[in-house]
Amino acid sequence: MLYNLVALFGLCMVGRMSPGPDMMLLVRHGAGGPTRAAYACVLGICLGLTFHVTWAVLGTGLLQGSPRAFQAVQLAGAAYLAWVGWKALRARADGGGEGAAPPTLREGFRDGLFCNLLNPKVTLFILSVFTQFVAPGTPTGERVAYGTVIVLEALVGWTIFVRFLDTAPMRRFYERHGLHLVRLTGALLLLLAGWSVVSFLRG
């Protein structure tokens, strides 16, 4: 079982390194200002991930078995990403505008929670991972252990990522290009939202 836990940790780490909404949000909250909001965003992401893991541990697979539920969550997630992205695009260098103020701890936690919670692809990813390690007769305790590894990997991995964003070279980069970076992440979040809508229309 220890081998499986280590393998699961590595698999989740590789999957997390792929750029996605969670990474874009952390860059958004960690760019140029205090990183406390980014750390709060990590906690929100991990809480949302805990809900997805709980579905997998219980073996319900609600979203996987219900196309309507999947589509509803997909659209809600796209709308939230679009809202966050639009706020980032409106950031202004002179301190004005809705997106200019540094994000608060509450905003960071809220964005991380809802971004992860409203992403049905996270559930499908976790379910697909679980099928590689869990059989129908796997004891509940072992399922919980696998789920705990997934959440802990996200907590450790994203915390290290935010710590990297807080290094001196990155700070100097933010001082010169912070506003452009915030707007770029806003544009990427809007593109992700648009792609989600396109996927919904094609499905």
Side-chain angles (χ1 to χ4, degrees):
M1 179 178 174
L2 179 59
Y3 174 82
N4 286 342
L5 292 176
V6 173
L8 177 61
F9 190 94
L11 180 60
C12 291
M13 180 175 293
V14 172
R16 183 183 45 78
M17 291 173 62
S18 156
D22 290 344
M23 182 178 289
M24 293 299 101
L25 273 182
L26 289 174
V27 173
R28 161 76 177 95
H29 287 302
T35 54
R36 291 178 301 172
Y39 286 116
C41 189
V42 170
L43 293 179
I45 289 171
C46 291
L47 180 57
L49 187 61
T50 301
F51 282 96
H52 292 292
V53 167
T54 301
W55 283 117
V57 169
L58 295 177
T60 55
L62 175 61
L63 294 181
Q64 191 176 36
S66 175
R68 289 184 180 273
F70 181 92
Q71 291 171 349
V73 174
Q74 186 178 28
L75 286 179
Y80 192 80
L81 286 178
W83 177 66
V84 175
W86 176 246
K87 289 207 309 179
L89 274 180
R90 294 187 60 192
R92 286 162 45 184
D94 60 2
E98 185 181 0
T104 64
L105 293 175
R106 182 177 180 180
E107 290 172 340
F109 181 83
R110 178 201 64 199
D111 288 348
L113 173 63
F114 285 112
C115 178
N116 193 277
L117 196 60
L118 296 176
N119 187 353
K121 294 182 180 179
V122 175
T123 293
L124 298 184
F125 172 76
I126 293 175
L127 286 173
S128 65
V129 167
F130 255 59
T131 60
Q132 307 302 315
F133 298 90
V134 175
T138 301
T140 302
E142 190 171 336
R143 289 171 178 259
V144 171
Y146 289 133
T148 302
V149 166
I150 292 175
V151 176
L152 286 179
E153 187 282 326
L155 178 62
V156 172
W158 286 132
T159 298
I160 293 174
F161 180 72
V162 173
R163 182 65 187 90
F164 167 73
L165 295 178
D166 199 29
T167 58
M170 292 302 294
R171 285 292 177 187
R172 289 193 293 269
F173 177 82
Y174 292 148
E175 289 175 1
R176 298 178 59 183
H177 308 289
L179 179 63
H180 299 296
L181 182 60
V182 169
R183 288 176 174 171
L184 175 62
T185 56
L188 290 175
L189 287 171
L190 283 172
L191 285 175
L192 286 171
W195 179 255
S196 184
V197 173
V198 170
S199 299
F200 167 79
L201 295 176
R202 287 180 175 177

